[in-house]
Amino acid sequence: MAVSHLECKECGAEYAPEARYVCERCFGPLEVAYGERRGSAGDVGELRRRIQGGPQNIWRYADFLPLAGGPPGPSGRLASRVGLPAGCTPLIRADRLAERLGLGEVWVKNDAANPTHSFKDRVVSVAVARARELGYGVIACASTGNLANSVAAHGAALGLESYVFIPADLEEQKVLATGIYGTNVVAVRGSYDDVNRLCAELSAEREWAFVNINLRPYYAEGSKTLAFEIAEQLGWELPDRCVVPVGSGSLYTKIAAGFEDWRSSGLLEGELPKMNGAQAQGCAPVAEAFAAGHDVCRPVKPDTIAKSLAIGNPADGPYALDLARRTGGSVDAVSDEEIRAGIRLLAETTGIFTETAGGVTTAVLRRLAERGEIDPGERVVLLVTGDGLKTLDAVRDSFVVHGIEASVEAFESALPAAVTV
Ligand SMILES: *Cc1c(COP(=O)(O)O)cnc(C)c1O
Ligand SMILES: [Zn+2]
């Protein structure tokens, strides 16, 4: 759908829909505002049919995404949308996980099934499509790891030069899975917050599209596609609760905004789900503010195995706090040990191997279940946003490998229980 303008979330000031992200009047963040909404009450059926007939990727939701080009043609291959299609990832009913936790209905949204194995492909696809509409030839980002993977791959797919900035202490798997695309990898000695500050300075001086800085308003809209998909996969219904990882808070708040968009278009009915945010204790500025009853977050210095969520000064912190309270949700934090146990619990009960961020959400789901906060009748969606193969260190030494000689006797003496199976 056509973008109308950018609007300050704090003071409502309006700006042209260019590559800008901060209000000149009050320094508040800018957000995309759309023109006339399509699909107002009368033609919900038609809107649903158009979505269902669209491509098997996020561009089926083009009516709700911030591009000038209008919805894609019959083939779904508008010039700005070729490249590395993201989305349409599985939503899986996880009965064995539900049973372990004493819950009724649990679904896992497995966004590790994206082209570069994390939900970041959604936000990058949208930001890069918009960057191309605005005429940018170089894409860049400040990343906690997965964003660098995705920007580098989109650059390769579209033939755009790319620069990705990461904290120097990132997981080796994420660095390797990024450099291979022929990008420029810049490892900054410092935290993500230092990387972000550096990139904000660079973006003021260069005509580059930093997907999560000057293109941030468009980037953030991409997360809404997770909400659209979940609702479509549930048969055009809302879940009762979502458990979502919180780094900057963009994904968490935009999933709710996606549900809201579809409610106001008449595609969905009912209340917004309870939104449970999930952080690691080693970097929990939002969970700490939630527990203390504050409206804003106090920045922290991250120290956790959940590096993809290690943002000490979350841009959307206040909006995340407001969302948790408004929906009857919460923002909880779990320890590195609980995260490892969460990765294992999910793997053992669903066959899905998640990175640490999914360990965080699974551990928070377990916490909520143990606190008795979830009704047995609730339909819960657990978000898994990235792949375990990128954070292998987190599970090293967490299970036994039976090393044996190549003989039946050696096997049976190493695993005596197997003799009777
Ligand atoms: C970036 C990331 C997040 C958090 O996203 P925010 O929008 O910054 O809150 C969650 N999970 C994974 C795997 C990520 O890479
Ligand atoms: Zn403002």
Side-chain angles (χ1 to χ4, degrees):
M1 182 166 33
V3 179
S4 156
H5 57 273
L6 297 178
E7 195 168 297
C8 174
K9 276 181 97 160
E10 291 300 319
C11 76
E14 296 186 7
Y15 298 88
E18 300 159 351
R20 57 163 76 226
Y21 64 108
V22 66
C23 178
E24 284 169 7
R25 273 207 242 152
C26 77
F27 300 106
L30 303 185
E31 198 170 39
V32 171
Y34 292 92
E36 186 70 9
R37 283 227 171 274
R38 307 176 66 134
S40 51
D43 53 5
V44 167
E46 194 216 308
L47 186 52
R48 276 189 190 161
R49 276 192 297 280
R50 192 159 60 231
I51 291 169
Q52 286 168 327
Q56 288 294 319
N57 57 53
I58 59 167
W59 302 119
R60 69 204 275 102
Y61 308 117
D63 283 341
F64 297 87
L65 292 173
L67 296 171
S75 67
R77 287 172 66 84
L78 253 204
S80 62
R81 290 161 203 175
V82 296
L84 205 58
C88 285
T89 60
L91 180 74
I92 292 156
R93 174 109 184 210
D95 286 337
R96 298 188 58 242
L97 175 62
E99 195 183 319
R100 274 271 211 113
L101 298 177
L103 299 174
E105 189 178 337
V106 176
W107 297 80
V108 176
K109 180 64 173 166
N110 184 10
D111 240 26
N114 275 303
T116 72
H117 316 288
S118 86
F119 97 93
K120 289 296 200 297
D121 290 322
R122 298 174 182 276
V123 285
V124 172
S125 288
V126 174
V128 171
R130 183 64 184 149
R132 296 221 308 176
E133 285 186 346
L134 293 171
Y136 285 89
V138 179
I139 55 175
C141 68
S143 174
T144 57
N146 286 314
L147 188 57
N149 279 188
S150 184
V151 166
H154 277 77
L158 296 167
L160 296 170
E161 198 179 345
S162 65
Y163 288 81
V164 301
F165 297 79
I166 54 173
D169 72 346
L170 216 56
E171 297 96 340
E172 190 187 20
Q173 292 91 8
K174 282 184 186 158
V175 181
L176 294 174
T178 298
I180 195 65
Y181 296 116
T183 182
N184 300 285
V185 184
V186 186
V188 179
R189 285 184 283 278
S191 68
Y192 170 79
D193 300 280
D194 298 318
V195 175
N196 192 53
R197 191 165 25 78
L198 168 64
C199 289
E201 284 174 38
L202 289 172
S203 83
E205 290 173 357
R206 282 172 174 70
E207 286 296 306
W208 292 0
F210 278 86
V211 297
N212 61 333
I213 299 182
N214 51 342
L215 272 290
R216 190 170 182 85
Y218 311 100
Y219 161 100
E221 295 292 290
S223 285
K224 289 180 174 176
T225 61
L226 255 169
F228 302 152
E229 267 178 44
I230 289 168
E232 190 186 353
Q233 287 169 317
L234 289 175
W236 308 97
E237 283 184 15
L238 283 162
D240 299 311
R241 181 185 297 275
C242 293
V243 184
V244 184
V246 176
S248 69
S250 176
L251 169 66
Y252 176 65
T253 50
K254 284 294 178 174
I255 287 183
F259 290 136
E260 290 278 22
D261 282 358
W262 273 22
R263 280 202 322 178
S264 54
S265 298
L267 284 169
L268 294 173
E269 283 169 12
E271 271 181 54
L272 209 56
K274 294 188 172 64
M275 296 294 295
N276 290 106
Q279 293 206 294
Q281 270 166 16
C283 183
V286 187
E288 282 162 17
F290 182 83
H294 296 159
D295 295 334
V296 292
C297 301
R298 184 141 44 87
V300 302
K301 223 172 165 297
D303 178 17
T304 168
I305 59 168
K307 292 184 196 288
S308 55
L309 305 180
I311 298 180
N313 190 10
D316 290 300
Y319 309 110
L321 289 164
D322 174 61
L323 177 66
R325 292 182 178 128
R326 188 154 56 81
T327 61
S330 64
V331 185
D332 285 86
V334 288
S335 70
D336 284 357
E337 267 331 291
E338 289 174 279
I339 295 167
R340 289 197 180 88
I343 293 173
R344 222 177 139 152
L345 174 64
L346 185 76
E348 290 177 357
T349 55
T350 66
I352 295 168
F353 180 26
T354 180
E355 74 145 79
T356 43
V360 172
T361 50
T362 307
V364 165
L365 178 65
R366 175 187 259 167
R367 271 273 188 94
L368 296 168
E370 283 169 3
R371 281 213 301 258
E373 235 160 86
I374 303 177
D375 261 24
E378 278 185 42
R379 175 186 279 175
V380 182
V381 174
L382 173 69
L383 269 97
V384 167
T385 46
D387 193 314
L389 292 175
K390 289 201 221 176
T391 60
L392 287 172
D393 280 339
V395 299
R396 206 178 291 288
D397 301 326
S398 65
F399 52 85
V400 177
V401 175
H402 304 278
I404 62 164
E405 296 305 323
S407 75
V408 172
E409 300 78 60
F411 169 64
E412 292 186 343
S413 76
L415 286 99
V419 176
T420 55
V421 173

